[in-house]
Amino acid sequence: MTRKLLVRHKTSKSLQEVQLRQFVREILTEEVVSITRESGESEIWDVTMTDKTISKSERVNVTPDFDEAIEVAKEFTTQDKGTILRELIKIKNDPDAGGFRQPFPGPEKAAEILQKYWIQTALWPSKNRKGAGEAAFHMAFETTDRASEPDAIIDSTNKFSIKSFGTTNTTAARSGGQPSADFKKALTKLAIALRLASDTYSGDAHDAFTSNISGAAFTPASLREHLQQFSGEDRDQIVKDVTTKKSGDNFSPLDEFKRCLIGEHGSLGVFAFWLKKQAVEYISLDEIDKIGISAVYRDKRVAFLPAGFSSFETVLGLAESVRGKK
């Protein structure tokens, strides 16, 4: 078994391999250590242990960009600094990875980089309700205004959301808890088209879905039950109303709302981290068919999954459910 670790030690003498070997054996359970000499100089050593014997030791040149990337990562994850640093060292040593905090290469290329080199960091524990994948994105690329929405702001024109689908097939991504006026307007249009609200409805958009149910969310099962009260002809009309663009509108009620999900807070698209598949996909505003609505919550959030899972669309017969109904 080969194990890598980082070692912290205080010594006035030059680091000798025999000293390092003895010290490492004593602190194998520690995660991260650096070397601080009496002069105040700090060193990081990358040590390879094979059967409790040092087979390789190499000093790591930790430049200020490492510190910046670690500070950025700690805004989004509670992962320990040693694990973060080890990941950054691995990226730095891979000439094809592009480094960390690199210039944004465009959304499609960025998704490729995130999937190939950063996907494992999306499993790190999140901090302050930050989503999985946010630490990965901000470590990988130069971003600005990390305290604002949407999640990833490159500049004034390149803004993106970061969403994650969980480690099970039914763990959906969710919208933010403070929907915009356009978001609520589009959701109301969808509720009206589904005949969950009257044409003159002026109440809360989420309430139109959740006011008549006992649970926390209006789900595909809720929609299926709702539609059972209508005749087959009426159900066909509902599907038509949901998918037909009305005069004066640019999109059908369903498409308009899904564009609001993707384009939340001015986002150009969503970087979707699919944790079960260990994959990252970029979904643009023109690719709304790649997602399906899976729930409208009382807490003002809306959940969605990759197309094909149980969703409003599968209940309406608008998307083939390749994974079975929920």
Side-chain angles (χ1 to χ4, degrees):
M1 176 180 178
T2 298
R3 175 176 180 175
K4 287 181 177 289
L5 63 155
L6 301 172
V7 185
R8 179 185 301 277
H9 185 48
K10 185 173 182 179
T11 176
S12 58
K13 300 178 181 180
S14 60
L15 189 68
Q16 302 295 324
E17 184 174 334
V18 64
Q19 296 172 313
L20 185 59
R21 181 184 298 115
Q22 180 180 359
F23 182 71
V24 167
R25 284 175 178 168
E26 295 173 358
I27 53 83
L28 278 175
T29 57
E30 291 190 20
E31 216 164 283
V32 180
V33 202
S34 68
I35 298 168
T36 303
R37 301 194 182 280
E38 287 186 348
S39 64
E41 180 186 4
S42 294
E43 299 176 3
I44 299 291
W45 284 73
D46 188 5
V47 179
T48 300
M49 294 287 296
T50 303
D51 297 327
K52 296 185 178 181
T53 301
I54 291 180
S55 58
K56 179 182 178 182
S57 60
E58 181 180 1
R59 182 176 175 178
V60 178
N61 181 27
V62 180
T63 52
D65 55 338
F66 278 92
D67 293 330
E68 179 193 8
I70 291 173
E71 289 179 7
V72 168
K74 293 298 287 183
E75 295 177 21
F76 301 94
T77 179
T78 58
Q79 186 63 271
D80 64 273
K81 289 185 178 180
T83 300
I84 297 172
L85 179 57
R86 191 176 296 114
E87 195 66 34
L88 294 175
I89 291 172
K90 183 174 71 175
I91 293 293
K92 191 82 166 183
N93 290 338
D94 189 331
D96 297 323
F100 43 84
R101 300 288 291 168
Q102 61 181 283
F104 186 66
E108 288 77 15
K109 182 63 176 178
E112 293 178 10
I113 292 171
L114 290 167
Q115 176 170 320
K116 187 170 183 180
Y117 301 105
W118 296 92
I119 186 64
Q120 66 282 353
T121 67
L123 297 174
W124 289 353
S126 62
K127 180 179 181 181
N128 298 331
R129 296 177 63 86
K130 298 293 186 180
E134 291 192 52
F137 192 99
H138 291 286
M139 284 191 295
F141 306 113
E142 292 180 359
T143 53
T144 61
D145 199 8
R146 294 185 296 275
S148 298
E149 296 287 356
D151 306 305
I153 300 175
I154 307 300
D155 52 40
S156 60
T157 57
N158 288 287
K159 302 178 181 182
F160 307 95
S161 291
I162 300 172
K163 302 295 183 183
S164 62
F165 304 117
T167 53
T168 67
N169 285 343
T170 57
T171 308
R174 296 192 185 189
S175 63
Q178 296 180 326
S180 67
D182 287 342
F183 187 100
K184 291 184 285 188
K185 181 180 178 181
L187 185 58
T188 297
K189 285 184 179 181
L190 181 59
I192 292 171
L194 289 169
R195 300 193 188 179
L196 290 165
S198 68
D199 291 344
T200 59
Y201 182 77
S202 60
D204 180 83
H206 291 74
D207 287 349
F209 286 83
T210 61
S211 61
N212 293 320
I213 62 171
S214 58
F218 186 92
T219 65
S222 306
L223 178 58
R224 191 176 297 113
E225 182 178 353
H226 166 70
L227 292 175
Q228 287 174 353
Q229 66 182 298
F230 299 98
S231 67
E233 184 178 345
D234 284 343
R235 286 197 294 270
D236 290 343
Q237 185 60 50
I238 288 173
V239 173
K240 184 177 180 180
D241 291 344
V242 165
T243 57
T244 301
K245 178 178 67 174
K246 290 186 176 181
S247 176
D249 291 339
N250 294 320
F251 305 97
S252 70
L254 180 61
D255 286 357
E256 181 176 345
F257 179 65
K258 290 169 76 169
R259 287 179 66 88
C260 282
L261 271 177
I262 298 295
E264 191 178 16
H265 302 295
S267 168
L268 295 178
V270 168
F271 283 90
F273 284 74
W274 196 337
L275 304 183
K276 181 178 176 64
K277 293 177 59 177
Q278 290 285 280
V280 181
E281 182 177 12
Y282 176 68
I283 304 173
S284 73
L285 286 171
D286 296 324
E287 298 174 304
I288 54 176
D289 287 341
K290 289 185 175 181
I291 65 169
I293 304 167
S294 60
V296 178
Y297 287 87
R298 295 185 189 277
D299 67 358
K300 312 307 179 189
R301 297 178 185 271
V302 175
F304 59 96
L305 285 162
F309 288 100
S310 179
S311 65
F312 292 4
E313 290 86 342
T314 57
V315 173
L316 293 168
L318 301 174
E320 181 181 359
S321 180
V322 297
R323 302 167 179 88
K325 293 181 179 179
K326 183 178 176 183

